[in-house]
Amino acid sequence: MTKLLIACALAVCLGNAGMFAQAEAPAADQPAAGQQGATSSSEDEFFGSADVEAKQGTAEKQNVADVVEKEHVGLSGQLQAQSTYTMTRNFVQGVTAASDNTFSNVIDGDFLVDIRLQKSFKAFLDLNLGFVPGGMPVMHTITPVGWPYLPPAPSLTYFENQDTALLIKEVFVDFNLANTVYFRTGKQVLKWGTGYFWNPTDLINIEHRSFTNLNALLDGVFGLRSDVVFSSNWHLYTFLNLNGVQDITSTAFAARSEFLVGSTEFAFSTWLKSGKLPVFGADLTTPLFWSLNLTSEASLSWGDNQDKLDTSGNPYSVRDQLVPKIDVGLSRTFDALDVQDRVSVNLEFFYNSDGYSQNMFDLLNQLGKLPTFLSGYFQSGYYGQYYGAAFVTINDFGSTNMTLSLNALANFSDMSAIALVGLSYAPVNNFTLSLQVGSYLGANYREFTISGNPTTGALTNNQFFGILGATVNF
């Protein structure tokens, strides 16, 4: 009996093998009608079944909550080496030798430590290490302690040449109450406002974006931030600024209420500090026709908290007048050569009503007070009254791992500008080579043509610059 069963099984297997051999034989030609019909019938029977999908629960990931809540420590960061060469106008015109030009090298690294605990608790650290061959001037301010006489002792300011700098850009802890009120305490960088380059409503961050390095990580400010979630469409953000505070009256407070209505996001904000003028703000983000995206923000105060210098070089305060500051931006992406969103364009305009309309660089230079102006009364990009900027990025430029950028920044008040062409190449993942070539446009002694050395007070009018860089992300 056993032998008979084995013989039958062999016969079936040989028969099936013959069927497969017959089915494969005419592969180069059209299959027979009977074979094609049999194949279609079997395919319809298999793919037409109502039980193709697995039953509910059989393919689900088990213990998802445990995986999400798993404690984790991550290390990432960025290392960047840059060499910058700047040519003065006198050198370009043949008046002086190359000794007037400046050549600088810097290696900058950000080491990011991300510690995630359960229940959305988190800690974060951004440790920045910079090395400048030849050194860089670093300002120190010393105030004597225990000064026995009146008035109080004046502060002493001096410069020291250092080649290595260690800085904690950010270090904070995140925690929450019932996943409804979220807190962040420590040194942090806040996203305040909607502008791409200018943020008139942002009176918190101490550092703004760099035109030549838009992706650089910024230095944070110490304080306590809260985020109250009323709904998915309504958040209330507050920030208690404790940066450098030694007296409770020096604390500043900011609040921002953010709403989402359809595809439009808008917010209202305020900034308050004892002894300072309150500042109120509003911002808006919304899509427009032709796939345009509009961003705008504005601040308003009765006077200005930033002191200024008059044409005689004397400080004064702006009071008893409205001081609006308005930023408007338009952005859009374009498809090109069968590549989606290959080209991105961002245009921005900034109106600073309290900016200087006169050429303060030329006036104060004649009075010998320009170093004072540069060290305490000048902030790049917020000096004049009317500004404009354009940022154009073309991905897959020539190859899939190359990007071209065309950027421009202009001060329309004194008619000076910076034009920049950048090319980046990523031969492998997480490694980028970049070359930027730019020019300072405008007459001498303008915002974007002049530079000053704070240690010596020496001034130069620049013409061209080039930046060669290599970046590693890990």
Side-chain angles (χ1 to χ4, degrees):
M1 184 65 179
T2 303
K3 293 181 178 179
L4 181 59
L5 291 175
I6 294 175
C8 292
L10 290 173
V12 172
C13 291
L14 291 174
N16 289 340
M19 290 175 60
F20 291 141
Q22 292 175 2
E24 291 176 357
D29 303 323
Q30 294 294 328
Q35 293 173 334
Q36 185 175 7
T39 303
S40 301
S41 176
S42 61
E43 288 178 353
D44 292 340
E45 181 180 355
F46 179 78
F47 290 106
S49 173
D51 298 329
V52 173
E53 296 183 358
K55 294 182 179 180
Q56 184 176 4
T58 59
E60 291 180 355
K61 176 69 177 178
Q62 302 298 321
N63 301 322
V64 175
D66 294 339
V67 175
V68 174
E69 292 291 340
K70 185 178 180 180
E71 295 183 357
H72 171 75
V73 177
L75 175 64
S76 61
Q78 181 185 86
L79 285 173
Q80 185 178 63
Q82 278 192 348
S83 296
T84 304
Y85 188 69
T86 304
M87 291 179 283
T88 65
R89 299 188 166 202
N90 288 335
F91 169 76
V92 174
Q93 296 170 1
V95 178
T96 59
S99 57
D100 277 5
N101 300 335
T102 58
F103 180 60
S104 62
N105 301 280
V106 61
I107 298 176
D108 187 79
D110 284 285
F111 299 88
L112 312 178
V113 181
D114 189 2
I115 305 173
R116 296 182 180 271
L117 306 177
Q118 298 181 6
K119 308 297 182 182
S120 300
F121 286 74
K122 171 186 173 182
F124 180 81
L125 169 68
D126 178 0
L127 182 64
N128 178 261
L129 177 64
F131 176 72
V132 180
M136 58 182 175
V138 178
M139 185 176 68
H140 299 280
T141 302
I142 297 178
T143 300
V145 179
W147 185 259
Y149 309 108
L150 294 176
S155 297
L156 174 64
T157 300
Y158 70 97
F159 289 88
E160 179 183 12
N161 196 56
Q162 295 183 354
D163 58 9
T164 304
L166 185 63
L167 173 66
I168 296 179
K169 287 186 175 180
E170 288 191 273
V171 54
F172 58 77
V173 175
D174 285 352
F175 58 97
N176 68 85
L177 297 178
N179 289 325
T180 302
V181 183
Y182 297 84
F183 296 95
R184 174 170 294 178
T185 178
K187 190 176 183 182
Q188 54 196 282
V189 176
L190 286 83
K191 176 54 182 172
W192 206 272
T194 60
Y196 182 74
F197 190 76
W198 289 280
N199 294 111
T201 63
D202 181 10
L203 301 177
I204 301 173
N205 292 305
I206 57 178
E207 188 177 8
H208 298 281
R209 302 187 75 175
S210 168
F211 178 73
T212 56
N213 194 358
L214 294 169
N215 297 319
L217 299 177
L218 304 180
D219 190 16
V221 58
F222 186 81
L224 174 64
R225 191 193 76 170
S226 70
D227 175 12
V228 183
V229 183
F230 294 100
S231 70
S232 59
N233 298 330
W234 180 21
H235 286 241
L236 175 62
Y237 300 94
T238 67
F239 186 75
L240 191 63
N241 193 335
L242 304 173
N243 202 60
V245 171
Q246 297 179 349
D247 190 303
I248 192 64
T249 59
S250 300
T251 302
F253 176 78
R256 170 185 166 90
S257 187
E258 187 176 287
F259 305 89
L260 179 63
V261 179
S263 58
T264 299
E265 181 179 303
F266 60 96
F268 301 98
S269 60
T270 184
W271 180 89
L272 305 169
K273 185 176 181 178
S274 177
K276 298 290 185 177
L277 300 172
V279 181
F280 303 95
D283 57 72
L284 172 73
T285 301
T286 187
L288 298 177
F289 58 92
W290 197 47
S291 300
L292 287 172
N293 187 62
L294 169 69
T295 61
S296 63
E297 65 175 278
S299 66
L300 186 65
S301 58
W302 187 248
D304 198 342
N305 289 304
Q306 176 64 49
D307 288 343
K308 304 178 63 177
L309 292 185
D310 60 21
T311 53
S312 299
N314 300 315
Y316 72 97
S317 300
V318 178
R319 293 293 185 269
D320 300 329
Q321 67 180 57
L322 285 176
V323 179
K325 300 179 181 182
I326 303 171
D327 176 79
V328 178
L330 289 172
S331 60
R332 192 189 191 281
T333 60
F334 299 87
D335 300 339
L337 300 177
D338 298 326
V339 177
Q340 186 176 8
D341 298 334
R342 189 172 198 168
V343 180
S344 64
V345 179
N346 194 318
L347 305 177
E348 197 166 3
F349 175 79
F350 177 51
Y351 169 61
N352 179 25
S353 66
D354 196 36
Y356 292 96
S357 58
Q358 310 97 327
N359 183 4
M360 298 299 294
F361 291 97
D362 195 14
L363 292 172
L364 296 177
N365 180 56
Q366 298 177 20
L367 298 175
K369 296 185 177 182
L370 192 53
T372 301
F373 178 70
L374 293 174
S375 62
Y377 298 90
F378 169 74
Q379 185 179 8
S380 181
Y382 294 81
Y383 154 79
Q385 288 186 327
Y386 301 96
Y387 286 92
F391 304 92
V392 179
T393 302
I394 305 175
N395 298 311
D396 299 342
F397 183 75
S399 67
T400 57
N401 49 8
M402 190 171 293
T403 303
L404 176 69
S405 59
L406 306 170
N407 301 334
L409 173 65
N411 179 345
F412 298 123
S413 300
D414 68 1
M415 299 305 294
S416 64
I418 308 176
L420 176 65
V421 178
L423 188 65
S424 63
Y425 172 65
V428 296
N429 289 336
N430 299 321
F431 179 78
T432 305
L433 293 171
S434 61
L435 174 64
Q436 299 182 83
V437 178
S439 177
Y440 301 99
L441 307 174
N444 293 337
Y445 295 103
R446 300 295 191 271
E447 178 178 5
F448 295 128
T449 61
I450 194 172
S451 65
N453 188 328
T455 58
T456 63
L459 302 173
T460 55
N461 286 289
N462 299 317
Q463 187 67 73
F464 298 107
F465 68 91
I467 304 175
L468 181 64
T471 304
V472 176
N473 294 296
F474 59 90

